[in-house]
């Protein structure tokens, strides 16, 4: 339903009513848009009286995805009720494009290429009962696809083993989105980006966010490193520059890594959600007027989200999720061979991406989903009459394909009596889960027979127009061995360090070397 005010018919009285409706409608839109910048997570009512068109003019817009179509993930499927999940990439830019950003960021030169130093994928479930947030450390080495800068037309070639934060300087936020889709296979619907000065101005407008440290901390080294954050033990409400220092602190938190910084960011965002949803002082019209102005000026979004009306529509969806169903996580990782960078952790990272793709809540509170099996009336042919193609899909976001895997499973099938099984060496795919695909109903029975013999669940037998006959795609979950074991465990990996937004006891551990 459109939220754009509609013209009313009739006489003078009817027009008066319509004007009043329009003003009330715009007030509602403004109060929601004011809070949407707060990493789109608060979904709380705010108010303001800025003109609708003025706010629209404040919002900066860019392309959603700057990669070629072949490198993009397919759109999320609707559930049985016709509801579709929402995936929003939240980006914190370290741009030094203004004197203010330069001062806050500590850089010497204005105009250096911006990097995506904070990246969080916000997944809102299709039924809007829960929200999952996954952070990727900025030091993660990833493959960045070919991207074309929509502003300049410059083409950036695909690159491997590159820090994920460099994606922003290779074609803008649309390339950061493309990098996430390539890594995770998750379709991203929107992005929202804010820079240093935006964080500071928003923190000031909100009035402060409570954060906790378990000891006095001063993030500063003798060589000038550190964010400059200085806090006393316990809980402090931070705002403005101090809020930015909290979000940027690495030296002084836990092991001094980017992972510790990500954890601190999660605590900050969870606290901000609670603060916005409970803060009665936000009823002050003057403060909310400033918040609306600040929010729209600080925000860069994709073109599909580039009006206050669309932000309002989005915020209504986000507001439906209760605080205790918001889960913050970090992509499971391992350190690179030199110890200076991180990589997605094999198996655990792939599992986390699968849970998000399949719209499974990371807090483990989803109702148990019943598995429905399609009734197959087609009877399977004799095993030695079933033609089976076997493809190698063992390549994942963290590991190269296992050489000869299709041939090995083909040999296994032949040994079980499927003498027409053959390896398809021309196909080198990437599938997290092993699948059996078939093109038409008359081969459904054959496909299920093959799956049964290999121990593959019927839920992983899929009808697909991408194949010509019964096809086994050996996924990244079956990289070795002759026995397939299905991963039917939908619990969030412990390595994702899940933190619930309602947890008020979370407190950052301070490195003893940075106390005072």
């Amino acid at each position: 339903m459109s939220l754009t005010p509609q013209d009313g018919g009739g006489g003078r009285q009817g027009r008066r009513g319509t004007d009043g409706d329009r003003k009330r409608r715009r007030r509602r839109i403004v109060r929601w848009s004011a809070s949407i910048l707060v990493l789109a997570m608060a979904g709380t009512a705010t108010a303001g009286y800025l003109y609708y068109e003025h706010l629209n003019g404040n919002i900066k817009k860019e392309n959603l995805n700057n990669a070629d179509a072949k490198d993009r993930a397919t759109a999320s499927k609707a559930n049985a009720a016709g509801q579709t999940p929402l995936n929003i990439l939240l980006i914190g830019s370290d741009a030094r494009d203004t004197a203010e950003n330069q001062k806050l960021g500590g850089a010497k030169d204005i105009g250096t290429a911006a990097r995506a130093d904070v990246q969080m994928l916000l997944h809102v479930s299709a039924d809007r009962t829960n929200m999952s947030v996954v952070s990727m450390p900025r030091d993660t080495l990833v493959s960045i696809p070919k991207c074309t800068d929509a502003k300049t037309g410059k083409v950036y070639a695909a690159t491997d083993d590159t820090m994920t934060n460099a994606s922003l300087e290779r074609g803008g936020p649309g390339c950061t989105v493309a990098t996430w889709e390539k890594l995770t296979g998750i379709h991203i619907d929107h992005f929202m980006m804010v820079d240093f000065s935006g964080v500071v101005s928003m923190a000031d407008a909100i009035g402060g966010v409570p954060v906790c440290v378990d000891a006095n901390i001063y993030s500063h080294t003798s060589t000038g490193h550190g964010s400059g954050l200085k806090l006393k033990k316990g809980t402090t409400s931070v705002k403005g520059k101090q809020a930015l220092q909290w979000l940027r602190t690495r030296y002084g938190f836990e092991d001094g890594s980017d992972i510790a910084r990500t954890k601190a960011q999660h605590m900050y965002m969870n606290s901000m959600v609670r603060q916005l949803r409970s803060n009665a002082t936000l009823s002050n019209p003057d403060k909310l007027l400033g918040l609306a102005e600040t929010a729209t000026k600080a925000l860069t979004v994709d073109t599909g989200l580039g009006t206050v009306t669309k932000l309002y529509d989005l915020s209504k969806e986000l507001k439906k999720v209760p605080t205790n169903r918001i889960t913050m996580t970090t992509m499971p990782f391992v350190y690179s061979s030199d110890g200076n960078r991180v990589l997605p952790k094999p198996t655990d990272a792939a599992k986390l991406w699968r849970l998000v793709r399949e719209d499974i809540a990371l807090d483990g509170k989803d109702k148990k989903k019943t598995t429905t099996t399609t009734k197959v009336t087609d009877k399977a042919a004799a095993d030695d009459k079933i033609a089976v193609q076997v493809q190698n899909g063992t390549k994942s976001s963290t590991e190269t394909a296992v050489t000869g895997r299709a041939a090995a499973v083909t040999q296994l099938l032949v040994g079980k009596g499927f003498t027409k099984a053959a390896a398809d060496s021309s196909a080198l795919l990437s599938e997290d889960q092993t699948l059996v695909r078939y093109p038409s109903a008359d081969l459904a029975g054959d496909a299920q027979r093959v799956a049964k013999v290999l121990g593959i669940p019927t839920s992983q037998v899929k009808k697909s127009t991408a194949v010509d006959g019964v096809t086994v795609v050996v996924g990244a979950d079956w990289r070795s061995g002759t026995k397939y074991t299905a991963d039917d465990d939908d619990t969030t990996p412990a390595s994702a360090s899940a933190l619930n937004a309602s947890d008020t006891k979370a407190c950052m551990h301070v490195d003893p070397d940075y106390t005072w």
Side-chain angles (χ1 to χ4, degrees):
M1 176 178 177
S2 172
L3 293 171
T4 304
Q6 300 296 314
D7 293 334
R12 189 181 301 273
Q13 182 63 38
R15 286 193 295 274
R16 281 200 189 109
T18 301
D19 289 343
D21 290 344
R22 181 181 295 111
K23 290 177 181 178
R24 286 190 294 273
R25 183 72 55 83
R26 287 181 176 175
R27 289 187 191 118
R28 290 199 301 270
I29 292 172
V30 168
R31 74 171 181 257
W32 282 102
S33 65
S35 65
I36 197 67
L37 173 64
V38 190
L39 291 191
M41 293 176 58
T44 182
T46 60
Y49 299 96
L50 297 179
Y51 291 110
Y52 175 83
E53 291 81 5
H54 171 68
L55 290 177
N56 277 342
N58 284 345
I59 303 169
K60 298 177 285 294
K61 298 170 280 290
E62 294 200 27
N63 279 0
L64 173 62
N65 193 317
N66 288 341
D68 293 343
K70 65 180 179 61
D71 290 323
R72 301 182 186 184
T74 56
S76 304
K77 293 182 179 179
N79 62 15
Q83 302 164 307
T84 308
L86 274 171
N87 295 305
I88 305 163
L89 187 62
L90 311 177
I91 304 171
S93 162
D94 73 347
R96 270 80 169 185
D97 52 356
T98 66
E100 184 180 5
N101 275 332
Q102 180 196 21
K103 181 179 179 181
L104 292 168
K108 296 180 180 179
D109 300 318
I110 294 179
T112 55
R115 292 163 298 187
D117 271 4
V118 177
Q119 298 176 36
M120 297 182 182
L121 178 64
L122 186 158
H123 172 84
V124 189
S125 66
D127 61 9
R128 307 301 187 253
T129 62
N130 66 88
M131 186 186 301
S132 300
V133 181
V134 184
S135 289
M136 187 193 305
R138 69 167 189 173
D139 294 340
T140 305
L141 297 178
V142 296
S143 294
I144 299 177
K146 183 181 82 171
C147 291
T148 303
D149 191 316
K151 293 179 179 178
T152 65
K154 181 176 180 178
V155 177
Y156 294 86
T159 179
D160 294 323
D161 297 325
T162 304
M163 279 177 57
T164 184
N165 68 344
S167 59
L168 189 60
E169 62 186 5
R170 299 177 61 81
C175 194
T176 305
V177 168
T179 300
W180 271 81
E181 289 200 355
K182 181 178 179 64
L183 175 68
T184 67
I186 298 167
H187 172 74
I188 294 174
D189 301 287
H190 300 291
F191 75 79
M192 308 180 80
M193 183 170 71
V194 66
D195 59 17
F196 290 150
S197 61
V199 171
V200 170
S201 58
M202 283 301 299
D204 282 340
I206 291 166
V209 175
V211 294
C212 176
V213 288
D214 65 1
N216 294 349
I217 181 174
Y218 183 33
S219 177
H220 179 75
T221 70
S222 58
T223 56
H225 289 95
S227 69
L229 178 70
K230 191 172 186 178
L231 295 176
K232 290 183 178 180
K233 177 181 178 180
T235 300
T236 304
S237 182
V238 296
K239 61 181 180 179
K241 184 177 180 179
Q242 200 172 43
L244 179 63
Q245 289 174 333
W246 175 276
L247 293 169
R248 299 188 68 212
T249 294
R250 183 159 62 92
Y251 294 99
F253 282 158
E254 301 191 348
D255 62 356
S257 70
D258 191 48
I259 309 304
R261 172 165 43 198
T262 298
K263 184 177 179 180
Q265 290 167 355
H266 289 172
M267 289 185 185
Y268 180 93
M269 299 318 304
N270 284 343
S271 184
M272 183 178 288
V273 171
R274 297 192 300 269
Q275 185 78 352
L276 279 166
R277 289 187 170 184
S278 65
N279 193 343
T281 63
L282 292 181
S283 60
N284 182 305
D286 291 335
K287 287 187 177 181
L288 293 171
L289 185 72
L291 183 57
E293 181 78 6
T294 299
T296 52
K297 281 185 175 180
L299 189 63
T300 300
V301 301
D302 63 278
T303 53
L305 199 59
T307 67
V308 176
T309 300
K310 290 176 180 177
L311 291 171
Y312 169 68
D313 289 340
L314 173 61
S315 66
K316 288 195 302 180
E317 297 302 302
L318 298 171
K319 186 175 183 288
K320 296 175 183 178
V321 181
T323 303
N324 65 357
R325 293 300 311 278
I326 299 173
T327 306
M328 306 287 291
T329 63
T330 299
M331 177 199 76
F333 68 92
V334 292
Y335 284 102
S336 59
S337 56
D338 62 6
N340 293 323
R341 300 288 181 262
V342 300
L343 299 164
K345 185 177 183 179
T347 307
D348 280 11
K351 182 178 182 180
L352 191 65
W353 305 140
R354 177 180 68 81
L355 294 178
V356 174
R357 281 197 306 271
E358 296 180 5
D359 199 22
I360 296 170
L362 299 186
D363 61 6
K365 296 179 182 178
D366 268 346
K367 292 181 179 179
K368 192 68 176 177
K369 296 180 180 179
T370 56
T371 303
T372 56
T373 303
T374 304
K375 186 177 181 179
V376 176
T377 56
D378 172 58
K379 291 185 179 180
D383 292 351
D384 61 354
K385 301 297 183 183
I386 299 175
V388 186
Q389 288 285 321
V390 183
Q391 297 176 336
N392 189 343
T394 55
K395 183 178 182 295
S396 71
S397 59
T398 58
E399 297 176 296
T400 58
V402 178
T403 304
R405 193 67 189 130
V409 175
T410 298
Q411 185 178 3
L412 175 63
L413 281 168
V414 171
K416 291 180 178 292
F418 291 84
T419 54
K420 288 190 174 183
D424 179 5
S425 58
S426 65
L428 194 60
L429 309 177
S430 178
E431 291 288 349
D432 290 340
Q433 247 183 359
T434 296
L435 302 170
V436 180
R437 292 174 171 153
Y438 63 96
S440 55
D442 62 311
L443 291 176
D446 291 355
Q448 290 205 1
R449 172 59 184 165
V450 171
K452 182 178 180 179
V453 169
L454 292 177
I456 300 170
T458 55
S459 60
Q460 291 166 225
V461 180
K462 308 285 186 181
K463 185 177 180 181
S464 171
T465 57
V467 295
D468 297 324
V470 176
T471 304
V472 176
V473 183
V474 186
D477 60 347
W478 196 14
R479 294 175 61 86
S480 62
T482 57
K483 183 178 180 180
Y484 178 73
T485 303
D487 179 13
D488 55 0
D489 176 15
D490 289 339
T491 58
T492 301
S495 55
S497 303
L499 179 67
N500 190 276
S502 62
D503 184 353
T504 59
K505 296 181 180 180
C507 201
M508 283 303 296
H509 174 62
V510 176
D511 183 338
D513 291 338
Y514 291 86
T515 58
W516 56 278

